[in-house]
Amino acid sequence: MSNYQLHANETSITVPRVVTLENVNYYEIVVKCGHVMWTISRRYRDFDDLHNKLVQERSVAKDKLPPKKVIGNKSPSFLKKRQEALEQYLKEMLIFLKVTMPKEFVEFLEFHRYDIIFIVQSLANSFFLRGETFLAKSKKYGFSVLELHAISERLKIPCPPTEAADSSLDFSHIMDFCSQLETVIVLPTKNSLPMILYDDDSEKYIPHAIHKPAGSSNLIPSQLRYELSVFKNLKNLIIYGISTENIENIGGLRESLVRIEVYKSEIKHIRQIALCDDIHKNDTEQFDRSKVWKTLRHAVFKDNQLVEIDHAMRLFPNLKDLVLDKNHIESIANLSHLNNLQILSLRANRIAECVNWHVQLGNLVSLNLSQNRIRRLEGLSKLYSLVNLDLSCNLIDDVNEIDHIGNLPLLENLRLLGNPVAGSVDYRARVLSRFGERLQEIYLDNEKGNQSEYDTALVLSALRISAQNSQRKLHKLLETTDDNLPNNTASSSGSR
């Protein structure tokens, strides 16, 4: 990001061209501050409004701005001359206002969007005027990465003269406001702030082009680092479209955070979250105890690029629910130590097999495996605490697979829609028949069965039990015959 305080002598303003849109002329302004640059489009009337404010409040000479012209103001030659004159005007204003940099001039050139000092001052002024009102309504606030980066960098430098001259710009307003927040949302830009934060469809608000420049600048939000140490009472952290590895100091959040959500961050491993501020991320089973997230209960790592559940999951020992939807996970691992885990969602991953999952998920109450590649259910047969199971939109085509979960004593809600088996004749009755005496307790695809389905299910259940009994008798008879066959053969051979 730009830092005018450090690069005032390397700051330049040009007006390279005029753009006409719908018969209105816009003068394109290019601002460069150090290695950062951005563009702004302004009409002449915008220049005129700025100049009037500077004349009234900053003692700027009235004749500095090129005059208006009513007739002939559309001709190319006139526009070219005005373009050059406006460029000269801005350059002179920059020299004249170099030290004070009044708010009107800062906002006209959009320094408050891309410059560390002016972003911080804009935030400070906003919190000075409206901070108490914000906090009275909600202790939740969304910051762009540019804002968090600016705050982080401001912590490292002395107080600028403009802050000392105006108490409303004091950095302490930001520190005080941030220390009272309980929920923080981190976004690439302010424009990507989601309207609904906990809705299932919230991903439609998440920016997809996370490497896109911020506004009209050459700043890439995904490349900016920031720290979170200023948030002293944070309980919930929500990160959209930015890698958690951008965090350079997590502060005391491992001691206080209750909920963390990370969306569209392109992360591939849990350790990129659990050890976000650790430069040398450990991929072994041994971790520094100081890195444990002691109070974390809820974790949502949705719509990223996770390929595994690695050893770093052990740093979240007290999780109660874990959402890993829309990733590239093929199997589960490193969950056996999560003794409090009750809810697990793995929707829209690449899971094809569930082998002995009870070893990893002994206390699970709710499991969402929808939109995967599952055909067989034997690996779920010992999840005895399971109440809710979503298997919709998988590849289950054999109703006999339901037998593996039909004896789960607490199962109440089962979803199978979207599987091939759901298109079979008497699908609901055939599935319900697998639950025996508990069939009336089961919600299949979010609804209980009707009497007709129950009657059919009971008949099917009786027929299946009868067939199974017949098979057992036949099997026992064959075993008896096999046991006697060698003796009979031996006797016959002896008599001969």
Side-chain angles (χ1 to χ4, degrees):
M1 292 182 66
S2 76
N3 187 336
Y4 180 74
Q5 181 177 338
L6 295 179
H7 301 108
N9 294 328
E10 302 169 52
T11 300
S12 65
I13 304 174
T14 57
V15 183
R17 62 175 183 157
V18 184
V19 178
T20 302
L21 296 173
E22 297 181 356
N23 207 33
V24 177
N25 297 316
Y26 293 88
Y27 296 88
E28 185 179 274
I29 305 166
V30 176
V31 182
K32 292 184 179 180
C33 183
H35 66 280
V36 181
M37 63 176 291
W38 62 92
T39 61
I40 316 117
S41 293
R42 300 291 188 214
R43 300 173 64 174
Y44 177 82
R45 68 170 58 176
D46 298 324
F47 280 87
D48 190 46
D49 290 342
L50 169 68
H51 186 63
N52 288 334
K53 292 176 182 177
L54 295 179
V55 169
Q56 294 173 12
E57 301 175 20
R58 306 294 171 177
S59 302
V60 171
K62 194 171 184 179
D63 60 355
K64 288 291 183 181
L65 185 70
K68 294 180 181 179
K69 183 179 180 182
V70 179
I71 300 174
N73 62 1
K74 303 292 185 182
S75 69
S77 59
F78 171 77
L79 291 175
K80 181 63 176 176
K81 289 181 180 179
R82 175 176 277 181
Q83 171 191 334
E84 294 171 351
L86 291 176
E87 179 178 303
Q88 184 60 32
Y89 168 78
L90 290 176
K91 289 180 176 179
E92 290 180 6
M93 290 301 100
L94 181 62
I95 295 171
F96 181 73
L97 303 169
K98 188 173 185 177
V99 176
T100 58
M101 285 296 281
K103 180 181 178 181
E104 301 86 356
F105 194 56
V106 166
E107 293 182 351
F108 182 85
L109 295 176
E110 296 192 349
F111 273 95
H112 66 303
R113 296 184 186 276
Y114 307 114
D115 186 271
I116 290 169
I117 299 302
F118 298 113
I119 286 177
V120 167
Q121 291 183 357
S122 179
L123 278 175
N125 184 61
S126 176
F127 297 153
F128 172 74
L129 297 174
R130 296 180 291 277
E132 291 184 4
T133 303
F134 286 151
L135 294 170
K137 291 181 179 179
S138 172
K139 293 190 176 182
K140 174 172 61 181
Y141 194 81
F143 291 90
S144 71
V145 171
L146 277 70
E147 290 173 334
L148 289 177
H149 177 76
I151 292 172
S152 302
E153 292 301 306
R154 173 59 183 82
L155 288 168
K156 305 172 186 177
I157 60 178
C159 175
T162 46
E163 287 185 30
D166 187 345
S167 61
S168 70
L169 306 180
D170 197 297
F171 187 58
S172 63
H173 301 311
I174 294 176
M175 298 293 286
D176 181 59
F177 181 82
C178 291
S179 68
Q180 298 182 65
L181 291 173
E182 294 182 355
T183 300
V184 163
I185 309 136
V186 182
L187 305 132
T189 64
K190 214 68 168 180
N191 293 335
S192 56
L193 182 68
M195 296 169 62
I196 302 173
L197 296 177
Y198 292 99
D199 188 271
D200 287 340
D201 295 324
S202 62
E203 59 258 36
K204 65 188 177 184
Y205 300 106
I206 301 171
H208 288 265
I210 68 173
H211 301 296
K212 184 179 179 181
S216 62
S217 74
N218 62 349
L219 289 169
I220 308 296
S222 62
Q223 297 175 354
L224 299 176
R225 295 179 63 78
Y226 59 92
E227 64 172 83
L228 298 172
S229 61
V230 294
F231 303 105
K232 305 300 183 183
N233 292 297
L234 206 62
K235 299 292 185 289
N236 309 295
L237 175 62
I238 305 168
I239 301 176
Y240 285 86
I242 292 293
S243 173
T244 49
E245 291 184 306
N246 287 45
I247 302 172
E248 59 185 8
N249 183 1
I250 202 73
L253 296 190
R254 287 188 173 90
E255 302 287 335
S256 65
L257 207 65
V258 175
R259 183 183 188 94
I260 184 170
E261 301 182 24
V262 181
Y263 300 83
K264 289 189 179 294
S265 69
E266 296 188 349
I267 57 170
K268 295 183 178 181
H269 306 281
I270 299 295
R271 61 179 176 271
Q272 293 174 269
I273 302 172
L275 297 167
C276 55
D277 57 342
D278 193 335
I279 297 176
H280 305 290
K281 294 176 175 55
N282 195 343
D283 193 26
T284 70
E285 296 187 37
Q286 301 298 321
F287 292 105
D288 184 346
R289 288 183 176 274
S290 66
K291 302 297 183 180
V292 173
W293 299 66
K294 298 178 181 179
T295 56
L296 198 69
R297 300 290 185 271
H298 316 282
V300 180
F301 307 144
K302 179 179 177 182
D303 207 358
N304 298 292
Q305 296 182 18
L306 292 172
V307 296
E308 63 176 345
I309 304 174
D310 57 63
H311 293 300
M313 184 58 73
R314 297 167 183 265
L315 295 173
F316 305 133
N318 298 309
L319 279 183
K320 294 180 65 177
D321 55 79
L322 174 62
V323 178
L324 298 170
D325 296 349
K326 301 181 73 174
N327 284 288
H328 306 317
I329 298 169
E330 296 183 0
S331 62
I332 65 168
N334 300 299
L335 296 176
S336 59
H337 69 292
L338 302 183
N339 298 323
N340 298 315
L341 189 66
Q342 296 184 349
I343 300 172
L344 175 63
S345 184
L346 289 158
R347 178 173 68 90
N349 276 279
R350 300 176 180 178
I351 298 170
E353 295 184 335
C354 309
V355 179
N356 293 329
W357 276 27
H358 64 282
V359 176
Q360 295 275 335
L361 307 169
N363 300 317
L364 208 63
V365 174
S366 294
L367 176 60
N368 188 340
L369 289 170
S370 61
Q371 300 179 45
N372 278 280
R373 305 170 183 178
I374 299 168
R375 292 180 183 272
R376 304 290 175 254
L377 303 180
E378 185 176 1
L380 307 179
S381 62
K382 296 182 181 180
L383 294 178
Y384 297 124
S385 60
L386 205 61
V387 176
N388 308 298
L389 177 59
D390 190 342
L391 292 165
S392 56
C393 300
N394 275 281
L395 303 175
I396 304 167
D397 55 5
D398 186 354
V399 73
N400 291 320
E401 289 298 315
I402 307 303
D403 289 344
H404 296 301
I405 58 176
N407 291 322
L408 295 179
L410 301 179
L411 188 63
E412 295 180 0
N413 302 293
L414 174 63
R415 297 196 69 210
L416 289 170
L417 281 178
N419 285 277
V421 71
S424 60
V425 177
D426 289 331
Y427 147 70
R428 288 181 57 82
R430 293 173 69 199
V431 171
L432 291 171
S433 72
R434 308 294 166 139
F435 290 89
E437 296 179 355
R438 294 188 60 245
L439 83 168
Q440 295 191 22
E441 301 173 16
I442 304 300
Y443 284 83
L444 178 58
D445 300 327
N446 296 329
E447 60 179 276
K448 281 194 171 184
N450 55 43
Q451 193 57 51
S452 175
E453 290 170 343
Y454 292 149
D455 292 341
T456 304
L458 289 172
V459 172
L460 292 173
S461 179
L463 290 173
R464 191 176 69 258
I465 292 171
S466 177
Q468 289 172 349
N469 289 337
S470 298
Q471 287 180 350
R472 280 195 291 269
K473 289 179 181 179
L474 178 59
H475 185 65
K476 188 174 182 180
L477 179 61
L478 290 173
E479 284 182 342
T480 302
T481 303
D482 288 342
D483 289 341
N484 293 330
L485 185 58
N487 295 329
N488 293 337
T489 303
S491 299
S492 301
S493 300
S495 62
R496 288 197 296 271

